[in-house]
Amino acid sequence: MARQTKQKNIVRKRSYPAARLARQQQPLAPEPNRLVKVWRRVLERRLRTRLRAKVAIEIHDNTHTMLTFQRQRALWRLRLHHMFLAAPDDVLQALAEFVREGDAEASLRLDRFIERNKAYIRRVSPAQMRKRLRLDPVGRHHDLGRIFERLNERYFESRISAAITYGPAPRVKGPRKSIKMGSYSADSKVIRIHPALDQPVVPRYFVEWIVFHEMLHHVYRARRGEDGRRCVHPPEFMEHERRFHDFKRAQAWELENLDLLLRARIGD
């Protein structure tokens, strides 16, 4: 009995190396991450010749911001969507001109490239995107949720399916030179209102006007004009905005009190 067991063990030991060799001889599929690293290095070389400086690239799969960059002494750091890995030479030239000089024409060429390749952008539902956000619509002085609901009922028959929140307090050193009082994300369907508007000296009708303006962005989407430029306030948008019940009074208050908003200290 012991002899038979020993023979079986011998058979196993003789067959194991052959089986392992057979597996090693099978062709291995290239690892996706390895290919991305190779393409990223190639992209870095292609941009290095155009920017005439060292380049470090990070590839991402974001759904909103397709490219960001910053200069660190002699090094350009870029974060690019993976659609740029196989970008043609003219797009890379536009990217270099936009990074180096902020060229407006180069920006348009990049916009067209992104529009043509939007199928590569991962689709995430607005509800999924909102789950990642912290929504805080109730301020100390103005409740954005109630303002949104009343405007939605009065002007849009409660058809605007968006969320609203105060944006984060921006980190600004020294006095502000400008202020973006509201924004609308078509991807997440979220309206953000600048926290500087949550002050007792800011009248409710002015906050309502800013919210109303951003709600209109949900109705009138940005489009490109005949010159190829992106238009976020088409004529019908501007005409619709004038229907706001306190339109002229809100505009007048902004002209008289813009400095107040620019000087606002958030979080005090």
Side-chain angles (χ1 to χ4, degrees):
M1 200 64 162
R3 186 176 180 181
Q4 292 178 355
T5 303
K6 186 175 181 180
Q7 288 177 344
K8 289 180 180 179
N9 289 339
I10 292 174
V11 171
R12 289 196 193 98
K13 289 180 180 178
R14 287 178 178 174
S15 62
Y16 176 73
R20 184 173 62 181
L21 180 62
R23 288 197 298 270
Q24 290 177 346
Q25 290 175 345
Q26 294 177 358
L28 298 175
E31 299 179 9
N33 290 339
R34 185 178 180 183
L35 287 177
V36 170
K37 290 179 181 178
V38 172
W39 293 336
R40 176 176 56 80
R41 287 196 294 267
V42 172
L43 184 57
E44 286 176 342
R45 289 198 297 268
R46 295 174 69 192
L47 280 174
R48 193 183 305 143
T49 59
R50 291 168 171 82
L51 290 172
R52 298 178 182 177
K54 293 181 179 180
V55 176
I57 293 177
E58 178 185 347
I59 300 299
H60 63 69
D61 189 31
N62 290 352
T63 58
H64 185 63
T65 303
M66 298 295 103
L67 69 96
T68 58
F69 60 89
Q70 61 177 337
R71 184 73 180 266
Q72 294 181 345
R73 296 184 180 180
L75 174 69
W76 283 104
R77 290 192 177 276
L78 291 86
R79 296 189 72 252
L80 302 173
H81 189 273
H82 59 76
M83 69 171 68
F84 283 93
L85 286 171
D89 289 339
D90 62 320
V91 172
L92 291 189
Q93 184 61 36
L95 179 59
E97 293 172 2
F98 179 71
V99 167
R100 187 173 54 240
E101 304 167 5
D103 185 78
E105 179 60 33
S107 177
L108 288 176
R109 298 205 302 270
L110 291 175
D111 285 344
R112 296 189 194 105
F113 171 76
I114 293 171
E115 181 66 22
R116 291 195 305 268
N117 291 274
K118 62 182 180 181
Y120 294 104
I121 301 175
R122 177 169 46 89
R123 293 187 178 182
V124 179
S125 69
Q128 290 175 316
M129 296 184 72
R130 286 199 291 267
K131 287 181 180 179
R132 307 172 186 173
L133 304 174
R134 179 184 176 183
L135 300 179
D136 189 13
V138 180
R140 294 180 181 179
H141 308 284
H142 298 292
D143 186 335
L144 297 178
R146 294 185 64 184
I147 291 174
F148 175 87
E149 289 177 4
R150 292 180 179 180
L151 291 174
N152 200 9
E153 182 179 359
R154 178 173 181 175
Y155 291 100
F156 304 100
E157 299 180 350
S158 299
R159 294 178 180 176
I160 304 294
S161 57
I164 191 167
T165 182
Y166 282 106
R171 297 178 180 178
V172 180
K173 295 181 180 180
R176 296 185 186 89
K177 295 182 179 179
S178 63
I179 182 172
K180 188 174 184 180
M181 287 179 278
S183 65
Y184 171 73
S185 170
D187 295 328
S188 61
K189 296 183 180 179
V190 171
I191 295 171
R192 290 179 177 85
I193 300 300
H194 198 290
L197 272 63
D198 187 33
Q199 301 183 69
V201 294
V202 179
R204 181 183 176 88
Y205 66 82
F206 181 78
V207 181
E208 289 177 339
W209 177 48
I210 300 300
V211 173
F212 180 75
H213 178 98
E214 300 307 329
M215 293 174 77
L216 289 178
H217 281 296
H218 181 90
V219 179
Y220 301 99
R221 301 300 175 89
R223 66 191 187 204
R224 300 204 174 277
E226 296 180 357
D227 58 355
R229 296 185 181 276
R230 190 167 177 264
C231 178
V232 296
H233 298 123
E236 57 269 26
F237 180 108
M238 305 301 293
E239 181 182 353
H240 196 157
E241 186 178 23
R242 294 186 183 93
R243 303 176 196 170
F244 180 69
H245 61 279
D246 269 326
F247 177 71
K248 291 184 178 179
R249 185 160 67 138
Q251 276 193 325
W253 189 91
E254 180 182 18
L255 291 174
E256 295 175 4
N257 298 275
L258 183 58
D259 288 344
L260 182 149
L261 297 175
L262 294 174
R263 295 195 308 267
R265 299 180 62 182
I266 312 302
D268 291 352

